[in-house]
């Protein structure tokens, strides 16, 4: 991961491709993107944009470079697109930044530190499961700035209040209610989140959708604690501790949050699971 960050830094004024960055860390593109996002809170593309705009601001303030030249140097096709991205981060235009640098923001280069952990064990099991069909409803959300966590929590609240999850629970299969993350885009900045259940009725309601979950080898992690806080803590440990310590990597398919318990989700002893498709490295 450190080598991949150094590679990004050396090439911020050149074309950067996630396949090349992932290869530096000996990971598949998909696994690298998920690992990076879980460890840093940024998508790879978001981090690159922030670093480029930071360096561009420094160059505008500390040199006589023209805005159009700096824009082209850092991969923007026009001064307009550069100005839009610049203003989104700094709150002012590049031209204004040349006159007043007091209000600029800086996104420093990331660094990773190795921490010795293991005082709290991670339970898991490996499950082989055939493909199955789920029915439910979904939303599309960005992962930038943790927006997906906020929108997914709101989606669950809305689904509970509307009675949708209650209807699902009455017709769910053995896994109970399922939250599925799928359809990650190339830059890992958008995903689809579906609240659903295994289909066990012939005809689902017209406003629901069907999804096919392919057969896979799954790593299944128990989650104990109140929702929604307990789930993100285990997600972080999976990517920061479990994957680096095992001979597995992400297989690239949908990920599932499985809610089997009928207990109150806000109770501290609430039980749920995280299912991640895996393969041997």
């Amino acid at each position: 991961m450190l080598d991949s960050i150094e590679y990004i830094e050396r090439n911020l004024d050149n074309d950067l491709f996630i396949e090349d960055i992932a290869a530096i860390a000996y990971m598949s593109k998909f696994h690298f993107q998920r690992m990076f996002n879980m460890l840093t809170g940024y998508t790879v593309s978001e981090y690159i944009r922030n670093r480029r705009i930071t360096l561009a601001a420094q160059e505008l303030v500390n040199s006589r470079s023209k805005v159009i030249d700096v824009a082209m140097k850092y991969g923007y096709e026009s001064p307009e697109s550069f100005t839009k991205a610049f203003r989104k981060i700094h709150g002012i235009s590049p031209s204004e930044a040349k006159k007043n640098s007091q209000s600029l923001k800086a996104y420093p280069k990331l660094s990773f530190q190795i921490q010795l952990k293991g005082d709290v064990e991670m339970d898991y099991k490996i499950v082989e499961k055939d493909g199955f069909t789920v029915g439910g409803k979904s939303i599309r959300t960005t992962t930038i700035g943790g927006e997906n966590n906020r929108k997914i929590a709101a989606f669950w609240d809305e689904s509970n209040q509307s009675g949708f999850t209650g209807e699902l629970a009455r017709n769910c299969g053995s896994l109970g209610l399922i939250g599925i993350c799928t359809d990650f885009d190339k830059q890992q900045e958008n995903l689809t989140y579906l609240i659903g259940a295994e289909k066990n009725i012939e005809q689902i309601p017209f406003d629901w959708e069907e999804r096919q979950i392919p057969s896979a080898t799954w790593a299944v992690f128990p989650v104990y604690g109140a929702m929604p806080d307990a789930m993100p803590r285990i997600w972080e440990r999976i990517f920061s501790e479990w994957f680096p310590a095992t001979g597995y990597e992400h297989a690239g398919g949908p990920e599932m949050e499985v809610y089997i318990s009928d207990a109150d989700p806000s109770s501290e002893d609430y039980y749920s699971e995280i299912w991640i498709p895996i393969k041997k490295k």
Side-chain angles (χ1 to χ4, degrees):
M1 294 296 284
L2 287 170
D3 290 342
S4 69
I5 293 296
E6 291 299 331
Y7 177 82
I8 290 172
E9 288 295 313
R10 292 196 304 270
N11 291 279
L12 285 170
D13 55 353
N14 295 312
D15 290 335
L16 281 166
F17 301 98
I18 293 179
E19 293 89 341
D20 298 333
I21 301 170
I24 299 294
Y26 300 100
M27 297 182 196
S28 68
K29 181 177 72 171
F30 184 92
H31 185 53
F32 179 81
Q33 290 172 312
R34 292 293 286 147
M35 178 79 78
F36 191 95
N37 184 241
M38 286 292 176
L39 293 179
T40 69
Y42 296 104
T43 66
V44 180
S45 297
E46 185 181 11
Y47 173 72
I48 292 172
R49 277 199 302 272
N50 289 345
R51 286 295 295 144
R52 282 174 168 166
I53 292 295
T54 294
L55 296 186
Q58 294 172 1
E59 192 162 328
L60 285 171
V61 170
N62 297 318
S63 74
R64 300 174 66 87
S65 299
K66 297 180 179 179
V67 172
I68 188 171
D69 293 333
V70 175
M72 296 301 177
K73 177 179 179 180
Y74 289 104
Y76 289 87
E77 297 181 353
S78 68
E80 290 77 19
S81 61
F82 175 66
T83 297
K84 182 178 179 180
F86 194 97
R87 188 184 294 277
K88 185 176 181 180
I89 288 180
H90 296 296
I92 58 177
S93 70
S95 299
E96 292 169 328
K98 289 181 72 69
K99 301 174 185 177
N100 176 23
S101 62
Q102 300 302 310
S103 60
L104 295 178
K105 295 180 181 179
Y107 288 87
K109 184 181 85 170
L110 282 175
S111 62
F112 296 97
Q113 294 180 333
I114 296 175
Q115 292 182 329
L116 296 177
K117 295 185 177 181
D119 56 322
V120 179
E121 70 277 1
M122 286 198 73
D123 294 329
Y124 72 96
K125 60 183 177 182
I126 303 298
V127 174
E128 300 283 347
K129 185 171 176 60
D130 293 334
F132 60 98
T133 304
V134 296
K137 296 180 180 180
S138 69
I139 57 170
R140 191 74 177 162
T141 176
T142 178
T143 60
I144 295 176
E147 179 67 16
N148 53 310
N149 293 327
R150 293 186 289 273
K151 288 193 69 173
I152 289 171
F155 185 34
W156 274 103
D157 287 341
E158 176 189 332
S159 298
N160 291 332
Q161 293 170 9
S162 68
F164 168 60
T165 52
E167 187 175 0
L168 267 178
R170 289 191 293 271
N171 297 286
C172 67
S174 60
L175 286 180
L177 298 183
I178 311 172
I180 302 173
C181 297
T182 187
D183 297 341
F184 301 93
D185 74 3
K186 291 183 179 180
Q187 282 73 42
Q188 191 66 13
E189 294 192 346
N190 289 281
L191 60 83
T192 295
Y193 187 85
L194 181 137
I195 297 176
E198 290 178 278
K199 182 185 174 186
N200 63 358
I201 56 176
E202 188 67 28
Q203 187 70 36
I204 65 172
F206 75 94
D207 58 341
W208 293 15
E209 60 186 276
E210 287 189 14
R211 291 281 182 138
Q212 299 297 319
I213 306 299
S215 60
T217 301
W218 302 86
V220 179
F221 301 87
V223 181
Y224 297 95
M227 295 295 117
D229 296 334
M231 193 67 73
R233 290 197 295 266
I234 301 301
W235 275 113
E236 181 178 347
R237 291 194 64 200
I238 290 169
F239 280 87
S240 65
E241 299 177 39
W242 189 83
F243 270 122
T246 65
Y248 295 104
E249 66 178 358
H250 203 297
E255 302 164 346
M256 301 192 298
E257 299 169 347
V258 175
Y259 301 94
I260 303 171
S261 174
D262 292 329
D264 179 5
S266 64
S267 66
E268 289 302 320
D269 58 353
Y270 183 74
Y271 178 78
S272 54
E273 294 175 344
I274 291 174
W275 289 50
I276 297 181
I278 57 169
K279 62 182 179 180
K280 281 284 188 180
K281 288 184 180 179

